Amino acid sequence: MKSFNLIKPYFIENRFKIILGIFFLIIVDLLQLFIPRIIKWTVDDLTYNTINREKLFFYALYIAAAALCIGICRYFWRKFLIGTSRRVEEGLRNQIFSHIQTLSQSYFIKTKTGELMAHATNDVTNIRMATGMGMVAFTDAVFLGTSAIGFMIYINLKLTLYAILPMPLLIFSARYFSRKMHRKYRTVQASFGDLTEVVRERFAGIRVVKAYTLEDKSYKDVKRSSIDYVSKNIALTRITGSFFPLMVLFTNISLAIVIYFGGRQTIMTTITTGDFVAFISYLNLMTWPMMAVGWVISMIQRGKASLDRINTIIQTEPGINDCPETSSLKEPPGTIRFDHVTFSYDPNHHHVLHDINLTLKKGWTLGITGPPGSGKTTLLNLVPRLFDPASGRILFDGRDIRSIKLTDLKAMISFVSQEPFLFSGTIAENITFEPYRSDDNDLISATKSAILYETILSFPNGFNTIVGEKGIVLSGGQKQRIAIARAIYHNTPILILDDPVSQVDAETGSLIIKEIQTLSGGKTVFIVSHRLSTIKNADLIVVMDNGKITETGTHEKLAVTNGYYAKMLKLQQLEEDLL
Ligand code: ADP
């Protein structure tokens, strides 16, 4: 029931449509219940020879009019009830998406994209089905079912009791099967999530697949997941496959009972021939509500499983959030200080950062270098609070960044990650996140600073060139330069660059860094780089090793020590001399 609260607002919002929909549905049911009465009158009149052409014409007219009204009312109940279920679907999907977006980085590390996509597609569809057709089948089961029984009792109580004899069996088996179905639906959903993820990953990594001729392996992986999905579905079909025929069997048993006992009662004139025929019509009318009981149960089970899964996501708190005592940040910080910062990705695992202490003044550039895996990227990630330290604090002017409104903090920072991501769209949109304006001088100067302007002009559509999945393929270096242009364009007081020119040639890389430093003025810049020429002009350089800062100083100071920096410097100078 807790999960139901998730969709309750949509029901409240659409309550008038739901009431109207159910109203039209009940009219359809009433008209359907009326038809056997006309059949009864006709048959009785024919049996007792009390019919004339005029009467016959009216009976036919009633049936035609009822059919017409049923058609019109069906249109309206579908429009209102199915329309409402579509609204539920839309609202829920938006709600899931906007909530997932608020979750922290660690959630996305743990959760597979395929699983998230299954929630947004399959689960939402199940809930739509359960709400839309669920409401219809439930109303029919309750109203049409009980009314049909009411009319049957009106004709003959004893015959009705015989006819509904298989009912307890039906209810018992519906309960039994629905429980089994519920369990199976869960495994089917989970398997669909796995399949989606496997397919997505094989296409995302198509370059590796092709380079290492892994097509066969990929095919087998997808096939394995696909077989698993199918077998789980078949297991489910085995249950549904026995359930629905069983429903039909029960209704036919009822029919057999009515034919035998009702036939005898007709012979004995306890009921009229018209009643007998009408009784069978009511029994037929009951077939759907009886099936609906089963159908509704299975659909609601399915929808509930999906709703539970979605509710789990919605209940997931963003690990990193504004705490009650957060306040806004208007001015860029004069100092940024790491105060005994320690961090680990997994609380049970070793620390990735140990006791980091650093102070940066406004306008400084901090260069960070060190062997791979030493914790450089992790250190950068802590500044925009992609993760929070396990202990210690990061302070802006002495104020813990956890006490700053998250949106204010993020608005201060531009981040160029190691592997830049481009959205499908134009180059201009990827830099500005807005449609292209040819008079946007900031865009032009940002691309000039990222030594990208000439390259963009050489593309057939310039700034409007489409990149990403449907556009041109850019080199790694070009992507990095777009990401740098994006960071420069957004002109934030803090710039975080994680190995920003690793895929750009050394000369262009140095030019870009020089540009950034000239532009940066009062900006505080963090640059991680293996290439020491990139960070040699930094105001402060730190060398990291195994999560610790092992060397601190300026280029001049570090170059004359015996440490990692000096060794790497010699090695890189040697490389340059050889080139
Ligand atoms: P660097 O940037 O210096 O190459 P990282 O900060 O990326 O180093 O990684 C530091 C350590 O943290 C490495 O041992 C790495 O395996 C580990 N690490 C990085 N990201 C994660 C993660 N998402 N989950 C668990 N461990 C991680």
Side-chain angles (χ1 to χ4, degrees), residues 13 173 275 467 516:
E13 193 186 312
S173 55
D275 283 334
V467 292
I516 290 175

Side-chain angles (χ1 to χ4, degrees), residues 228-451:
D228 179 70
Y229 179 57
V230 170
S231 67
K232 299 250 160 70
N233 264 302
I234 289 175
L236 176 64
T237 314
R238 251 182 250 129
I239 300 172
T240 46
S242 356
F243 179 54
F244 289 105
L246 213 61
M247 298 285 118
V248 178
L249 179 71
F250 290 140
T251 51
N252 281 332
I253 289 175
S254 292
L255 182 62
I257 293 172
V258 170
I259 296 278
Y260 182 71
F261 290 103
R264 277 182 48 179
Q265 283 180 330
T266 315
I267 296 167
M268 291 187 295
T269 64
T270 317
I271 57 171
T272 66
T273 316
D275 283 334
F276 177 62
V277 177
F279 199 94
I280 291 173
S281 301
Y282 285 125
L283 194 66
N284 278 338
L285 274 183
M286 259 188 68
T287 310
W288 155 242
M290 278 173 94
M291 301 267 291
V293 170
W295 199 42
V296 160
I297 288 172
S298 80
M299 216 159 37
I300 287 180
Q301 292 289 347
R302 200 169 165 166
K304 171 140 190 336
S306 293
L307 199 58
D308 285 346
R309 297 204 322 164
I310 288 177
N311 200 34
T312 312
I313 301 181
I314 301 283
Q315 295 304 322
T316 309
E317 296 274 342
I320 290 176
N321 211 347
D322 281 337
C323 58
E325 39 311 330
T326 48
S327 51
S328 53
L329 176 76
K330 297 273 183 287
E331 293 297 317
T335 58
I336 299 177
R337 189 152 78 87
F338 283 70
D339 177 33
H340 298 291
V341 170
T342 301
F343 177 78
S344 70
Y345 284 99
D346 181 350
N348 307 318
H349 221 251
H350 70 285
H351 282 157
V352 172
L353 294 177
H354 304 264
D355 196 29
I356 303 288
N357 291 293
L358 259 180
T359 305
L360 266 188
K361 290 221 158 63
K362 187 177 171 200
W364 276 20
T365 296
L366 171 73
I368 309 171
T369 191
S374 54
K376 304 181 293 296
T377 301
T378 309
L379 181 81
L380 296 185
N381 284 342
L382 299 186
V383 184
R385 290 190 68 202
L386 295 183
F387 301 95
D388 277 338
S391 65
R393 299 170 303 165
I394 298 172
L395 306 158
F396 279 14
D397 293 331
R399 181 176 164 198
D400 193 326
I401 56 170
R402 278 173 286 209
S403 73
I404 296 171
K405 235 169 107 189
L406 208 52
T407 44
D408 285 0
L409 177 72
K410 302 236 162 141
M412 291 277 166
I413 302 168
S414 291
F415 201 115
V416 175
S417 57
Q418 231 164 6
E419 279 169 25
F421 180 81
L422 300 188
F423 294 97
S424 306
T426 66
I427 292 183
E429 284 163 357
N430 263 291
I431 296 172
T432 63
F433 302 131
E434 302 283 342
Y436 174 56
R437 281 187 296 111
S438 57
D439 61 347
D440 191 347
N441 291 328
D442 292 341
L443 173 63
I444 294 171
S445 59
T447 49
K448 279 185 177 161
S449 301
I451 324 285

Side-chain angles (χ1 to χ4, degrees), residues 488-528:
I488 296 173
Y489 179 86
H490 286 92
N491 192 23
T492 53
I494 301 169
L495 213 55
I496 299 181
L497 313 167
D498 191 359
D499 228 350
V501 286
S502 57
Q503 296 179 58
V504 179
D505 65 275
E507 202 178 323
T508 316
S510 299
L511 274 175
I512 295 174
I513 297 297
K514 213 178 268 169
E515 281 286 335
I516 290 175
Q517 273 162 353
T518 355
L519 279 177
S520 61
K523 287 187 207 295
T524 310
V525 186
F526 293 72
I527 309 180
V528 161

